[in-house]
Amino acid sequence: MRNVTRWTVVLIVTLSATLPLFAQQQSQMGPDMGFRNPYQNQQPFTGQELSRWMRDWPDVTKWLDAHGDSVSQAENPSDIARFFRGADLTAYLRSKGWTPDRFGYVTVEVALCLAAVEMETQMPEANSQIEDSIKQIQDNPNMSAAQKQATIEQLRAVQSQMGGFSANVPKSELALVKPKQDELKKILDENS
C-alpha cells in the first residue's frame, strides 16, 4: 500500500501544479469528458524520453530537496506551482535537456499510465462487485423502480469510466510503461 500511496501522491502533486490550466480545460471539455493531461498538445513520449525521465526524476526531487522545496511538503497548489514553474527549476530542467512543459507532460503521463495499469488490474474484481451491487439493488423490495434505475445507472457510469480510464493515455505510452511499472513505482516511491 505504501508504494501505491507514494506514487499516487506524485500524481496529485503534479496535477495540482497545473490546476489553473486543468480547471480551464475542464470548463471547455465539460464534466463528462474525463481527465486529459494539461500538457495534452504534446506528442506522446518515446521510450528514450521515458528512460531519461526515469534517470532524471530522482535528480529533480533531490534538487528540490536541496533547495528547500520538497515536493512532498507542499501544502497548497501555489507552493507546488512555484516548484514546477520557478526560474531556478526551469534552468535546472533545461540543463538536463528538458523544457518544463515536456518534463511536466512526461511526469503526468507516467502517473496516468501507472494508474491505468492499476485500474486494468483491478477491473475484474471491481466489475464483479458492481454486478453484485446491481443484483442486490434489483432484488431490494424497499427501493422504488425509479430509485433502482437511477442507482443502477450511476453504477454503470462508474463502471464505464473505470473501463475507459486507459483511453486517456496514448497506447504507445501505456505499452512503454507496462513492462517498467514496478521500476517506475519504485523510482516514484523512493524519490517523492
Side-chain angles (χ1 to χ4, degrees), residues 146-160:
Q147 288 173 320
K148 288 179 183 183
Q149 180 180 356
T151 306
I152 290 170
E153 285 175 6
Q154 288 174 344
L155 287 171
R156 292 283 184 218
V158 168
Q159 191 175 35
S160 175

Side-chain angles (χ1 to χ4, degrees), residues 37-81:
N37 186 334
Y39 304 104
Q40 74 180 21
N41 293 330
Q42 299 199 27
Q43 294 296 313
F45 63 76
T46 64
Q48 183 180 18
E49 284 180 304
L50 179 59
S51 295
R52 280 183 50 220
W53 185 91
M54 292 170 72
R55 179 195 67 220
D56 291 342
W57 177 255
D59 292 340
V60 170
T61 59
K62 286 175 189 162
W63 186 93
L64 290 169
D65 288 342
H67 289 80
D69 290 334
S70 173
V71 174
S72 61
Q73 293 177 0
E75 294 183 14
N76 61 57
S78 64
D79 289 344
I80 297 164

Side-chain angles (χ1 to χ4, degrees), residues 3-23:
N3 288 347
V4 172
T5 302
R6 295 288 301 266
W7 67 262
T8 302
V9 167
V10 170
L11 172 62
I12 292 167
V13 166
T14 304
L15 294 177
S16 297
T18 57
L19 192 56
L21 179 58
F22 177 65

Side-chain angles (χ1 to χ4, degrees), residues 6 31 46 72 80 84 97-99 112-113 118 120 129 142 168-170 173 177 188:
R6 295 288 301 266
T46 64
S72 61
I80 297 164
F84 287 95
W98 293 98
T99 65
L112 287 173
C113 286
E118 190 72 25
E120 285 177 5
Q129 290 175 354
N142 299 320
N168 289 324
V169 294
E173 292 178 352
V177 166
L188 289 170

Side-chain angles (χ1 to χ4, degrees), residues 67-155:
H67 289 80
D69 290 334
S70 173
V71 174
S72 61
Q73 293 177 0
E75 294 183 14
N76 61 57
S78 64
D79 289 344
I80 297 164
R82 181 174 47 84
F83 297 152
F84 287 95
R85 297 288 183 199
D88 290 342
L89 180 57
T90 296
Y92 179 73
L93 289 173
R94 288 187 192 282
S95 76
K96 296 186 108 9
W98 293 98
T99 65
D101 283 349
R102 190 61 181 171
F103 190 82
Y105 172 84
V106 175
T107 301
V108 171
E109 288 297 300
V110 165
L112 287 173
C113 286
L114 287 171
V117 170
E118 190 72 25
M119 191 65 70
E120 285 177 5
T121 302
Q122 296 176 6
M123 276 305 293
E125 183 179 341
N127 279 333
S128 176
Q129 290 175 354
I130 289 172
E131 293 303 323
D132 288 348
S133 295
I134 289 172
K135 174 100 172 87
Q136 290 174 7
I137 291 165
Q138 290 170 334
D139 294 343
N140 187 337
N142 299 320
M143 291 179 78
S144 70
Q147 288 173 320
K148 288 179 183 183
Q149 180 180 356
T151 306
I152 290 170
E153 285 175 6
Q154 288 174 344
L155 287 171

